[in-house]
Amino acid sequence: MPPIAQRLREPAAFVLLAFGALSTLFNTITFLFGPGENTNGLGGAPSFSDRAAAEVGNLLSVVVVAALVGAVALAHLPSHLKQVKVVSLVSLITLGVADLFGVVALFSAFGANGSTGWDKTSTFFISLGELAVAGVGTWLVLSWFQQHQPAKPAAGFQQPQQQWGPGPGPQQQWQQQQQPPQQQAPQGQPWGPPPPAAGTAAARSAAAAAASSRSRSRSRSGGQPQPQPDADSMMTQAIPTVPPAPQGQQQAASAGRRAADRQLDRGVTSGVTARP
């Protein structure tokens, strides 16, 4: 871009913006209120539908839309001007007002007096095309204006919440320092108490079986508690009993013991006589 064109970018943008904004402002006032209109020959002022049929082309003027879009384009291309956000905002508001009241005038023009059906039909379709052009211009200006919005924080980012109030005293800080660090569970191991061992489960099942047998014995005995055995009887029961040997084996064992006694006596006697 030539240097002179670069210097004229900002003035040209504001000139186009002023033309579009002033044209939309006065056309909207004329459409809504109709100031300075002369009465017709019958002594009455034009109706709202008559003003709509007369101003719908001015509200949706392609020239006005092009001027506003051109102002925003000059403010952004090739580089941003200092007042680029102001130009974008004013152009967007102006186009929004023109689109709104252009739609109202488009449908209100069907009730205009003194217009033939052909005039109303041609006005409607021509104004409908101008409304489409105005919508495209509004979309372009909106896309440029959104470039100046603050960036949104990334998903999942949360600002830390600040807690108001006095901080912890020295004693509380000392207690926090004295507390031992909590042991973290290793990765892959679930939190909570360890599962019971197999021996513990077996002992619990045996205790439950013993309790159920005692309750059954109590119910059979009429609810009276059975006498508990003392320690001596329990030790006596614990000693294993040897079954008695047959009678023949007992006689053979006694004869063997007597023979052994005789041999022992003979050995002692012979030893005594052999001494000098």
Side-chain angles (χ1 to χ4, degrees):
M1 183 177 292
I4 186 172
Q6 183 68 24
R7 290 194 298 268
L8 292 177
R9 278 181 58 206
E10 188 170 359
F14 278 101
V15 168
L16 294 175
L17 178 63
F19 167 73
L22 292 175
S23 299
T24 303
L25 176 63
F26 285 102
N27 290 330
T28 304
I29 293 175
T30 303
F31 165 62
L32 294 177
F33 307 105
E37 292 184 350
N38 297 324
T39 59
N40 53 22
L42 300 177
S47 62
F48 182 79
S49 298
D50 296 337
R51 294 197 303 269
E55 297 296 333
V56 63
N58 297 328
L59 288 171
L60 299 175
S61 175
V62 179
V63 177
V64 175
V65 174
L68 294 172
V69 175
V72 178
L74 285 175
H76 285 82
L77 301 176
S79 60
H80 292 182
L81 298 177
K82 295 181 180 180
Q83 303 295 330
V84 61
K85 189 173 182 180
V86 176
V87 174
S88 302
L89 181 59
V90 175
S91 299
L92 184 62
I93 295 174
T94 304
L95 286 172
V97 172
D99 294 342
L100 176 62
F101 291 105
V103 172
V104 175
L106 178 64
F107 291 98
S108 299
F110 283 104
N113 298 323
S115 298
T116 62
W118 175 253
D119 294 336
K120 293 179 181 179
T121 303
S122 61
T123 302
F124 175 77
F125 282 103
I126 293 173
S127 301
L128 190 63
E130 293 175 344
L131 179 62
V133 174
V136 173
T138 306
W139 174 71
L140 290 175
V141 174
L142 179 62
S143 62
W144 270 316
F145 178 73
Q146 288 178 347
Q147 298 178 3
H148 308 287
Q149 299 297 325
K152 296 182 180 180
F157 175 77
Q158 297 180 359
Q159 296 182 355
Q161 298 180 359
Q162 183 178 3
Q163 298 181 358
W164 297 94
Q171 184 177 4
Q172 295 180 0
Q173 293 180 358
W174 180 81
Q175 292 178 358
Q176 291 178 0
Q177 294 177 0
Q178 292 297 327
Q179 290 180 357
Q182 297 180 358
Q183 184 178 4
Q184 297 181 357
Q187 186 176 5
Q189 182 177 357
W191 290 90
T200 307
R204 290 180 180 177
S205 61
S212 61
S213 62
R214 286 197 298 269
S215 62
R216 290 177 183 175
S217 61
R218 289 179 182 178
S219 60
R220 291 176 182 176
S221 61
Q224 297 180 0
Q226 298 292 333
Q228 299 293 335
D230 53 357
D232 297 337
S233 61
M234 293 178 63
M235 293 179 62
T236 305
Q237 293 177 1
I239 298 174
T241 58
V242 180
Q247 187 175 2
Q249 294 180 1
Q250 292 180 2
Q251 293 178 359
S254 59
R257 285 194 296 272
R258 286 194 298 269
D261 294 339
R262 291 193 194 99
Q263 291 179 0
L264 182 61
D265 293 339
R266 290 175 184 176
V268 172
T269 305
S270 62
V272 172
T273 53
R275 290 179 181 179

Coordinates of all heavy atoms in Angstrom, one line a residue, residues 39-75:
T39 N -49.4 16.9 4.8 CA -50.6 16.2 4.7 C -51.1 16.0 3.2 O -50.8 16.9 2.4 CB -51.8 16.9 5.5 OG1 -51.9 18.2 5.0 CG2 -51.4 16.9 7.0
N40 N -51.8 15.0 2.9 CA -52.2 14.8 1.5 C -53.4 15.6 1.3 O -53.9 16.4 2.1 CB -52.5 13.3 1.3 CG -53.4 12.7 2.3 OD1 -54.2 13.4 3.0 ND2 -53.4 11.4 2.5
G41 N -54.0 15.5 0.1 CA -55.1 16.3 -0.3 C -56.3 16.1 0.5 O -57.2 17.0 0.6
L42 N -56.4 14.9 1.2 CA -57.6 14.6 2.0 C -57.5 15.1 3.4 O -58.4 15.0 4.2 CB -57.9 13.1 2.0 CG -58.1 12.5 0.6 CD1 -58.3 11.0 0.7 CD2 -59.4 13.1 -0.1
G43 N -56.4 15.8 3.7 CA -56.2 16.3 5.0 C -55.6 15.4 6.0 O -55.7 15.7 7.2
G44 N -55.1 14.3 5.6 CA -54.5 13.3 6.6 C -53.0 13.1 6.3 O -52.6 13.2 5.1
A45 N -52.2 12.7 7.3 CA -50.8 12.4 7.1 C -50.6 10.9 6.6 O -51.5 10.1 6.8 CB -50.1 12.6 8.4
P46 N -49.5 10.6 6.0 CA -49.2 9.2 5.6 C -49.2 8.3 6.7 O -48.8 8.6 7.9 CB -47.9 9.3 4.9 CG -47.7 10.7 4.6 CD -48.4 11.5 5.6
S47 N -49.7 7.1 6.5 CA -49.8 6.1 7.6 C -48.5 5.4 7.7 O -47.5 5.6 7.0 CB -50.9 5.0 7.2 OG -50.5 4.4 6.0
F48 N -48.4 4.5 8.8 CA -47.2 3.8 9.1 C -46.8 2.9 7.9 O -45.6 2.8 7.5 CB -47.4 3.0 10.3 CG -46.1 2.2 10.8 CD1 -45.1 2.9 11.4 CD2 -46.0 0.9 10.5 CE1 -43.9 2.2 11.8 CE2 -44.8 0.2 10.9 CZ -43.8 0.9 11.6
S49 N -47.8 2.2 7.3 CA -47.5 1.4 6.1 C -47.0 2.2 4.9 O -46.1 1.7 4.2 CB -48.7 0.6 5.8 OG -49.2 -0.2 6.8
D50 N -47.5 3.4 4.8 CA -47.0 4.2 3.7 C -45.5 4.6 3.9 O -44.7 4.6 3.0 CB -47.9 5.5 3.5 CG -49.3 5.1 3.1 OD1 -49.5 4.0 2.5 OD2 -50.2 5.9 3.4
R51 N -45.2 4.9 5.1 CA -43.8 5.3 5.4 C -42.9 4.0 5.3 O -41.8 4.2 4.9 CB -43.7 5.9 6.8 CG -44.4 7.2 7.0 CD -43.9 7.9 8.2 NE -44.1 7.1 9.4 CZ -45.2 7.2 10.2 NH1 -46.2 8.0 9.9 NH2 -45.2 6.4 11.3
A52 N -43.4 2.9 5.6 CA -42.6 1.6 5.5 C -42.3 1.3 4.0 O -41.2 1.0 3.7 CB -43.4 0.5 6.1
A53 N -43.3 1.5 3.1 CA -43.1 1.3 1.7 C -42.1 2.3 1.1 O -41.4 2.0 0.2 CB -44.4 1.3 0.9
A54 N -42.1 3.5 1.7 CA -41.2 4.5 1.1 C -39.8 4.4 1.7 O -38.8 4.8 1.0 CB -41.7 5.9 1.5
E55 N -39.6 3.9 2.9 CA -38.3 3.8 3.6 C -37.6 2.5 3.6 O -36.5 2.4 4.1 CB -38.4 4.4 5.0 CG -38.9 5.8 5.1 CD -37.8 6.8 4.5 OE1 -36.6 6.4 4.5 OE2 -38.3 7.9 4.0
V56 N -38.3 1.4 3.2 CA -37.7 0.1 3.3 C -36.4 0.0 2.4 O -35.4 -0.6 2.8 CB -38.7 -1.0 2.9 CG1 -39.2 -0.8 1.4 CG2 -38.1 -2.4 3.1
G57 N -36.4 0.6 1.2 CA -35.3 0.6 0.4 C -34.1 1.4 0.9 O -32.9 1.1 0.7
N58 N -34.4 2.5 1.7 CA -33.4 3.3 2.3 C -32.8 2.6 3.5 O -31.6 2.7 3.8 CB -33.9 4.7 2.7 CG -34.4 5.5 1.5 OD1 -33.8 5.3 0.4 ND2 -35.4 6.3 1.7
L59 N -33.6 1.9 4.3 CA -33.1 1.2 5.5 C -32.2 0.1 5.1 O -31.2 -0.2 5.8 CB -34.2 0.7 6.3 CG -35.0 1.8 7.1 CD1 -36.3 1.1 7.7 CD2 -34.2 2.4 8.2
L60 N -32.5 -0.6 4.0 CA -31.7 -1.8 3.6 C -30.8 -1.4 2.4 O -30.5 -2.3 1.5 CB -32.6 -3.0 3.2 CG -33.5 -3.5 4.4 CD1 -34.4 -4.6 3.9 CD2 -32.6 -4.0 5.6
S61 N -30.4 -0.2 2.3 CA -29.6 0.2 1.1 C -28.3 -0.5 1.1 O -27.5 -0.7 2.1 CB -29.3 1.7 1.2 OG -28.5 2.1 0.2
V62 N -28.0 -1.0 -0.1 CA -26.7 -1.7 -0.3 C -25.5 -0.8 -0.2 O -24.4 -1.2 0.2 CB -26.7 -2.4 -1.7 CG1 -25.4 -3.2 -2.0 CG2 -27.9 -3.4 -1.8
V63 N -25.7 0.5 -0.6 CA -24.7 1.4 -0.5 C -24.3 1.7 1.0 O -23.1 1.7 1.3 CB -25.1 2.8 -1.1 CG1 -24.0 3.8 -1.0 CG2 -25.4 2.6 -2.6
V64 N -25.2 1.8 1.8 CA -24.9 2.0 3.3 C -24.2 0.7 3.8 O -23.2 0.9 4.6 CB -26.3 2.2 4.0 CG1 -26.0 2.3 5.5 CG2 -26.9 3.5 3.5
V65 N -24.7 -0.5 3.5 CA -24.0 -1.7 4.0 C -22.6 -1.8 3.5 O -21.7 -2.1 4.2 CB -24.8 -2.9 3.5 CG1 -24.1 -4.2 3.9 CG2 -26.2 -2.9 4.1
A66 N -22.4 -1.4 2.2 CA -21.0 -1.4 1.7 C -20.1 -0.4 2.3 O -18.9 -0.7 2.6 CB -21.1 -1.2 0.2
A67 N -20.6 0.8 2.7 CA -19.8 1.8 3.4 C -19.4 1.3 4.8 O -18.3 1.5 5.2 CB -20.6 3.1 3.5
L68 N -20.3 0.6 5.5 CA -20.0 0.2 6.8 C -19.0 -1.0 6.8 O -18.0 -1.0 7.6 CB -21.2 -0.3 7.5 CG -22.3 0.8 7.8 CD1 -23.6 0.3 8.4 CD2 -21.7 1.8 8.8
V69 N -19.2 -1.9 5.8 CA -18.2 -3.0 5.7 C -16.8 -2.5 5.3 O -15.8 -2.9 5.7 CB -18.7 -4.1 4.7 CG1 -17.7 -5.2 4.5 CG2 -20.0 -4.7 5.3
G70 N -16.8 -1.5 4.3 CA -15.6 -0.9 3.9 C -14.8 -0.2 5.0 O -13.6 -0.2 5.1
A71 N -15.6 0.5 5.9 CA -14.9 1.1 7.0 C -14.2 0.1 8.0 O -13.1 0.3 8.4 CB -16.0 1.9 7.8
V72 N -14.9 -1.0 8.2 CA -14.3 -2.0 9.1 C -13.1 -2.7 8.4 O -12.1 -3.0 9.0 CB -15.4 -3.1 9.5 CG1 -14.7 -4.2 10.3 CG2 -16.5 -2.4 10.2
A73 N -13.2 -2.9 7.1 CA -12.1 -3.5 6.3 C -10.9 -2.6 6.3 O -9.7 -3.0 6.5 CB -12.5 -3.8 4.9
L74 N -11.1 -1.3 6.1 CA -9.9 -0.3 6.2 C -9.3 -0.3 7.6 O -8.1 -0.1 7.7 CB -10.4 1.1 5.8 CG -10.7 1.3 4.3 CD1 -11.2 2.7 4.1 CD2 -9.4 1.1 3.5
A75 N -10.1 -0.5 8.6 CA -9.5 -0.5 10.0 C -8.7 -1.7 10.3 O -7.9 -1.7 11.2 CB -10.7 -0.3 11.0

